[in-house]
Amino acid sequence: MMLGRRVRGSVLAALILGAALVGVTAGGVIVPAPAAAQTVASIAVEGNRRVEVETIRSYFKPGPGGRLGQAQIDDGLKALIETGLFQDVRINQAGGRLVVVVVENPVIGRIAFEGNKKVKDEQLSAEIQSKPRGTLSRPMVQSDAQRIAEIYRRSGRYDVRVTPEVIEQPNNRVDLIFTITEGSKTGVKSIEFVGNVAYSSYRLKDVIKTRESNLLSFLGGADVYDPDRVEADRDLIRRFYLKNGYADVQVVAALTEYDPDRKGFLVTFKIEEGQQYRVAAVDFQTSISTLDAKSFRSFSRVNVGSLYNAEALEKSVEEMQIEASRRGYAFAVVRPRGDRNFEQHTVSIVFAIDEGPRTYIERINIRGNTRTRDYVIRREFDLSEGDAYNRALVDRAERRLKNLDFFKSVKILSEPGSSSDRVILIVDIEEKSTGDFSVSGGYSTTDGALAEVSISERNFLGRGLYAKAAVTYGQYARGYSLSFVEPYLLDYRVALGLDLFQREQLANRFISYGTKTIGFSPRLGFSLREDLALQLRYSIYQQEIQLPSTLANCNNNASNSLLAFNPTPAFAQLNGIPNGGTLGGVTDSGSGLWCYADGEASLPVRRELQSGKTLTSSLGYSLNYNTLDNNKNPTDGLLIDWKQDFAGVGGDVKYIKSSFDAKYYTPLVADIVGLLRVQGGILNQFGSSELRMLDHFQMGPNLVRGFAPNGIGARDINPFGTGDALGGTKYWGASAELQMPFWFLPKEVGLKGSVYADAGGLFDYKGPTSWAQTGEVNVAGCRPARTNSVTDPGTCLGLQYDDGNVVRTSVGVGLIWASPFGPLRFDYAVPLTKGKFDRVQEFKFGGGTSF
């Protein structure tokens, strides 16, 4: 009995001792526990080839007294496994020492991609973490495969499959191959809106960036499903409603569902519109005793009675906060507060101006710019290191950086600085390609076929400069142009532009002569406000008229020359033309047939031809006011252009030319947009210099549709001439247009129609009417020639013209296509009233593309 107890006691003691000598690692490996505490120096390492022994030992951190206990050994084992350098790690006890046995991961010899056609190897290599000459980590390889698949999904290929393959090589090396099955693009098959009452789904599709797939989708990428873009569309919808008075709007969700039958995504936006609010009152308050809150009223873009507009509210806050900073209140903060009246559907807005926390900018760190110079980014800030932190100025800088169009994304974040009153601004940007090579082609009823090749760079040399070179060659128009813009002249927010151009307009069915112009124009641009810009310019150009061979050489033959005629004895006697003699440009061929020696063109044209090259030197300016919601496809807002040019700063001509053009867009009902346009101009002579015909305004469908180019205004009515348009020194025009979509067509087709009515006039020709050199003078009481008469030219040799001082009107319909090939427009207009000698062109087409 006693012996049995001793045996059982011995067994129990042995089990306890064994348990003390054995431990369990975190990775499930049973490791004998050391009989006594070890030191780092006593650790033996086996199985390593590339990793040094001391490197492996360094992962074991000694405890108190420099000894390694079980906790320190477990931590070291975990640290070695987490390095990713080893396939296996084991810890054994041998001869009273700790032995670490490792199996190293193989080294990657090369990485290859197979099956990728849409994404280049260089892009994929930059995205994955596995690298040649690095160690192979199988978890990292799986992560890389997922990253490659995500890149394809971002480009709309959700059927992509990525299979990694490891090929063993000698000396513990491997090749890593990613086999990619790209699949086809996964598009958005339908976009639906739920809960929208105030605005139709057709209108809301204009607001978002995502588009539905159609036959022409291959020319763009907006129909490809992108979850980030869909999420951004939610914000665009919300901001659209907030801009139009719906202060309670919520875009509850953007639901996406893959439809295997249609092989695409169905996107549905759920909207809760709420009520539309108007502004009942606008008030200003401040807790700063030395600041007059009422003085900020002029900076408010919110008016009593107008629709609530969150965008205008944000801009008001920004301008007020900047103004407070200019007045010395660098830490002032403007906070808008809106008190809603749910019954009246109104909101009372209070701008509260308070003293904010005294925070300074410690540093501005820029990340992600590999090409763009730092100073190009920093100059968009109105603050720098050491200045008071102003969130409004930071937001403005972010908006300016986005508007540069140099970057895919711009985000400015703030981080705590070295102390509580310091903040660090982090500017995270992602650059994109800023160069463009364009081959453009088009056709219009005015200029005929036209082609242009151009190359441009928006961020030249990474310095924010703009440069462009273009060559144009067409049926009736040819030339080239070189442009350069420095947006920050001498580090001021002033844009310097330089243009060099040469244009040649050939004779066509609208004008009997051609012109050749070569010139140079520097300009300065100032942004007075976000919606108001000023441009100052100087232009100097040389111009000459060119006649086609059919007009330049008269054949002295009645059957070939429009101006050949047999003058009556009374006409010859009145004008002093002797039989068989010569009087200036009028010659007698000896056969009784007469013609102008330098062609049948109108008198002003021939005078200009005789003068040769004319130099024009002018100073000018432009004011542009723009509140359009979209410059390419506007539906709301006002665009006003006012221009004036003063010629006579040297050169051969003197005049003052002024013009005005205003367009007002407003949404009406059922996605119909109204457009009102008013335009006008006046040309004034000063000094003794005579106005040239070429300096006059020339009008046609640009003033009243339904008329030919140069089809309106004074015209040479000499029956033996070409009937050239002479232009006028004054014009006015007004137009009313309704633009409406074709609701039965998919939105993505981009077609809409228009109906319009135009009215306008061009009058008061003040160019040359006589030419003493050729004996062509206007005789008081002279009798005009009878139409189509070659035997009775009348008693006038000077310019015979009809001023056509009548109001022209027309009505018409148009087809507007925002096509993938560029904007196209077709117009058919019928003149209702016109001058006797006006020229009509009822159909007009114009458009082009770049690719």
Side-chain angles (χ1 to χ4, degrees):
M1 204 54 192
M2 182 65 71
L3 179 61
R5 288 178 180 176
R6 287 176 180 175
V7 171
R8 287 196 298 271
S10 298
V11 172
L12 181 60
L15 291 174
I16 293 173
L17 178 62
L21 294 175
V22 178
V24 181
T25 69
V29 180
I30 299 178
V31 182
Q38 305 290 323
T39 63
V40 174
S42 66
I43 297 176
V45 179
E46 296 179 358
N48 59 310
R49 295 184 179 182
R50 299 185 310 277
V51 184
E52 298 291 338
V53 172
E54 290 303 323
T55 301
I56 295 175
R57 286 174 175 170
S58 68
Y59 285 93
F60 294 88
K61 308 297 182 183
R67 314 298 289 178
L68 290 174
Q70 188 61 47
Q72 286 77 28
I73 294 173
D74 288 346
D75 290 341
L77 177 62
K78 293 177 183 177
L80 282 174
I81 294 173
E82 289 174 356
T83 61
L85 298 173
F86 309 102
Q87 289 187 29
D88 191 20
V89 180
R90 293 178 179 273
I91 297 179
N92 299 322
Q93 180 75 28
R97 303 179 65 192
L98 202 65
V99 180
V100 180
V101 182
V102 297
V103 179
E104 293 180 341
N105 274 327
V107 176
I108 301 174
R110 70 184 184 96
I111 298 177
F113 305 94
E114 295 182 355
N116 56 310
K117 298 179 181 178
K118 303 300 181 180
V119 183
K120 295 182 179 180
D121 288 1
E122 294 80 4
Q123 183 179 348
L124 296 176
S125 298
E127 294 291 342
I128 64 175
Q129 291 180 303
S130 300
K131 301 296 179 185
R133 296 183 297 279
T135 57
L136 177 72
S137 170
R138 296 187 183 276
M140 186 182 296
V141 170
Q142 292 300 322
S143 175
D144 289 338
Q146 293 175 5
R147 177 60 182 157
I148 292 172
E150 182 63 23
I151 293 172
Y152 276 92
R153 291 190 183 102
R154 292 293 178 187
S155 62
R157 298 181 182 273
Y158 276 77
D159 293 333
V160 63
R161 294 193 303 275
V162 182
T163 306
E165 182 180 1
V166 178
I167 302 176
E168 303 286 344
Q169 299 292 346
N171 299 322
N172 199 31
R173 302 178 75 86
V174 297
D175 290 342
L176 178 58
I177 310 297
F178 290 98
T179 302
I180 303 170
T181 304
E182 294 181 325
S184 58
K185 279 192 174 183
T186 310
V188 176
K189 297 302 181 181
S190 75
I191 301 174
E192 301 294 338
F193 300 88
V194 177
N196 56 309
V197 177
Y199 297 99
S200 68
S201 297
Y202 195 96
R203 177 68 181 93
L204 292 178
K205 286 181 181 180
D206 268 341
V207 176
I208 63 177
K209 301 297 184 183
T210 305
R211 294 287 181 262
E212 292 179 351
S213 299
N214 57 69
L215 292 176
L216 300 176
S217 293
F218 68 93
L219 295 172
D223 69 306
V224 175
Y225 174 70
D226 184 343
D228 289 344
R229 183 163 54 203
V230 172
E231 192 62 29
D233 286 339
R234 287 183 64 185
D235 186 59
L236 289 175
I237 296 170
R238 185 184 66 86
R239 294 183 66 86
F240 172 75
Y241 272 94
L242 288 174
K243 182 180 177 181
N244 289 279
Y246 293 86
D248 299 326
V249 66
Q250 292 185 23
V251 184
V252 179
L255 305 177
T256 57
E257 179 186 0
Y258 183 76
D259 186 343
D261 295 332
R262 301 177 65 178
K263 295 183 179 180
F265 282 89
L266 313 180
V267 179
T268 303
F269 295 96
K270 297 184 68 176
I271 304 170
E272 293 181 2
E273 293 182 333
Q275 296 294 326
Q276 190 177 46
Y277 289 83
R278 290 191 174 272
V279 179
V282 180
D283 199 6
F284 302 84
Q285 297 177 357
T286 180
S287 61
I288 305 174
S289 58
T290 57
L291 188 64
D292 180 13
K294 302 295 184 182
S295 64
F296 286 83
R297 185 173 296 275
S298 61
F299 296 94
S300 172
R301 300 192 179 190
V302 181
N303 301 312
V304 175
S306 64
L307 285 175
Y308 172 80
N309 187 331
E311 184 178 296
L313 191 67
E314 290 175 0
K315 290 182 178 179
S316 300
V317 169
E318 179 180 298
E319 293 188 7
M320 290 179 191
Q321 197 157 320
I322 292 172
E323 176 62 20
S325 179
R326 288 173 181 164
R327 297 185 187 184
Y329 301 91
F331 301 101
V333 177
V334 181
R335 296 184 178 92
R337 185 178 71 248
D339 299 324
R340 292 177 176 83
N341 185 322
F342 297 101
E343 295 180 356
Q344 299 295 326
H345 301 151
T346 61
V347 57
S348 298
I349 297 173
V350 178
F351 292 99
I353 309 172
D354 302 310
E355 187 74 23
R358 291 183 172 271
T359 306
Y360 297 88
I361 297 174
E362 184 173 335
R363 290 195 313 277
I364 300 177
N365 294 336
I366 302 172
R367 301 188 305 208
N369 58 316
T370 58
R371 180 168 177 265
T372 307
R373 310 293 178 94
D374 270 15
Y375 72 85
V376 173
I377 298 170
R378 292 181 182 273
R379 69 191 183 187
E380 298 300 328
F381 286 81
D382 289 328
L383 38 73
S384 57
E385 284 92 343
D387 289 348
Y389 175 73
N390 188 316
R391 188 66 223 180
L393 291 178
V394 173
D395 291 341
R396 172 180 281 190
E398 182 173 331
R399 187 166 60 250
R400 285 173 175 172
L401 287 172
K402 291 178 179 178
N403 290 338
L404 288 177
D405 200 23
F406 297 168
F407 314 109
K408 287 183 180 178
S409 64
V410 178
K411 184 175 292 185
I412 302 179
L413 306 173
S414 59
E415 295 181 353
S418 58
S419 61
S420 60
D421 64 343
R422 297 288 187 271
V423 65
I424 299 173
L425 295 182
I426 307 297
V427 185
D428 277 323
I429 62 175
E430 183 181 357
E431 292 182 314
K432 68 178 182 180
S433 174
T434 55
D436 293 303
F437 176 76
S438 173
V439 179
S440 305
Y443 179 84
S444 75
T445 48
T446 304
D447 297 324
L450 191 71
E452 179 183 274
V453 178
S454 68
I455 182 170
S456 65
E457 172 58 59
R458 299 191 304 277
N459 188 14
F460 188 58
L461 301 177
R463 300 175 182 270
L465 307 174
Y466 174 83
K468 179 179 180 180
V471 177
T472 302
Y473 192 89
Q475 188 174 357
Y476 302 124
R478 299 165 187 174
Y480 65 84
S481 64
L482 300 173
S483 299
F484 174 83
V485 178
E486 164 57 83
Y488 277 80
L489 180 64
L490 302 176
D491 290 330
Y492 290 97
R493 202 178 298 278
V494 176
L496 169 66
L498 303 173
D499 297 301
L500 176 65
F501 54 89
Q502 189 268 332
R503 294 190 296 266
E504 186 175 5
Q505 179 70 46
L506 304 182
N508 53 60
R509 62 193 183 97
F510 302 114
I511 53 174
S512 66
Y513 57 90
T515 58
K516 185 176 182 180
T517 308
I518 183 168
F520 171 74
S521 177
R523 47 193 164 85
L524 293 174
F526 305 84
S527 180
L528 305 180
R529 293 190 333 192
E530 287 195 1
D531 54 7
L532 184 63
L534 169 67
Q535 184 189 92
L536 305 178
R537 60 182 173 273
Y538 170 72
S539 300
I540 181 168
Y541 58 90
Q542 180 179 273
Q543 192 174 37
E544 63 176 317
I545 277 185
Q546 299 174 330
L547 286 179
S549 58
T550 54
L551 295 181
N553 299 307
C554 178
N555 294 327
N556 293 328
N557 188 304
S559 62
N560 295 326
S561 175
L562 293 176
L563 287 182
F565 62 91
N566 189 357
T568 62
F571 179 84
Q573 182 178 4
L574 175 64
N575 291 281
I577 303 175
N579 262 341
T582 300
L583 180 62
V586 184
T587 60
D588 179 9
S589 63
S591 61
L593 298 177
W594 295 76
C595 71
Y596 291 120
D598 46 357
E600 301 90 350
S602 297
L603 184 149
V605 176
R606 291 183 284 108
R607 280 193 57 174
E608 194 64 35
L609 182 68
Q610 181 68 24
S611 300
K613 299 176 180 178
T614 302
L615 185 68
T616 301
S617 175
S618 68
L619 287 172
Y621 72 92
S622 300
L623 274 173
N624 175 270
Y625 178 74
N626 187 344
T627 63
L628 297 181
D629 59 344
N630 186 313
N631 287 333
K632 292 184 178 180
N633 185 26
T635 60
D636 191 14
L638 181 63
L639 176 63
I640 300 176
D641 279 307
W642 165 260
K643 299 179 181 179
Q644 268 196 319
D645 289 284
F646 305 86
V649 189
D652 302 320
V653 296
K654 295 182 180 181
Y655 62 75
I656 301 175
K657 183 179 285 188
S658 308
S659 62
F660 171 83
D661 190 358
K663 298 177 182 178
Y664 175 65
Y665 294 84
T666 183
L668 300 176
V669 294
D671 302 316
I672 298 176
V673 175
L675 166 60
L676 295 177
R677 182 181 183 185
V678 178
Q679 55 180 318
I682 184 169
L683 174 66
N684 294 313
Q685 175 186 356
F686 73 92
S688 58
S689 177
E690 187 178 40
L691 286 175
R692 302 186 308 158
M693 184 198 71
L694 292 180
D695 295 326
H696 282 58
F697 296 110
Q698 297 287 349
M699 292 293 168
N702 54 334
L703 188 69
V704 181
R705 283 163 285 195
F707 291 87
N710 296 5
I712 294 175
R715 186 173 302 278
D716 183 1
I717 58 173
N718 189 326
F720 311 111
T722 54
D724 288 314
L726 306 177
T729 59
K730 299 181 182 68
Y731 76 91
W732 67 272
S735 177
E737 181 170 342
L738 295 178
Q739 297 179 357
M740 63 209 72
F742 294 108
W743 293 277
F744 54 86
L745 293 176
K747 177 73 174 180
E748 287 66 31
V749 174
L751 274 175
K752 59 182 178 181
S754 69
V755 294
Y756 51 82
D758 296 341
L762 173 68
F763 51 94
D764 203 11
Y765 169 74
K766 291 184 179 180
T769 58
S770 61
W771 195 5
Q773 182 178 344
T774 61
E776 296 173 80
V777 294
N778 282 88
V779 180
C782 67
R783 178 174 54 82
R786 292 202 300 268
T787 303
N788 298 327
S789 171
V790 297
T791 59
D792 185 5
T795 59
C796 292
L797 271 179
L799 177 66
Q800 303 174 47
Y801 71 97
D802 177 77
D803 192 41
N805 188 9
V806 297
V807 175
R808 282 84 173 180
T809 59
S810 69
V811 293
V813 296
L815 182 65
I816 306 167
W817 185 21
S819 77
F821 309 104
L824 302 175
R825 176 153 184 155
F826 306 82
D827 282 296
Y828 182 80
V830 178
L832 301 179
T833 60
K834 63 186 184 71
K836 181 179 179 181
F837 297 98
D838 286 347
R839 295 185 178 178
V840 172
Q841 182 185 12
E842 295 179 342
F843 176 75
K844 184 177 184 295
F845 158 72
T849 185
S850 297
F851 52 88

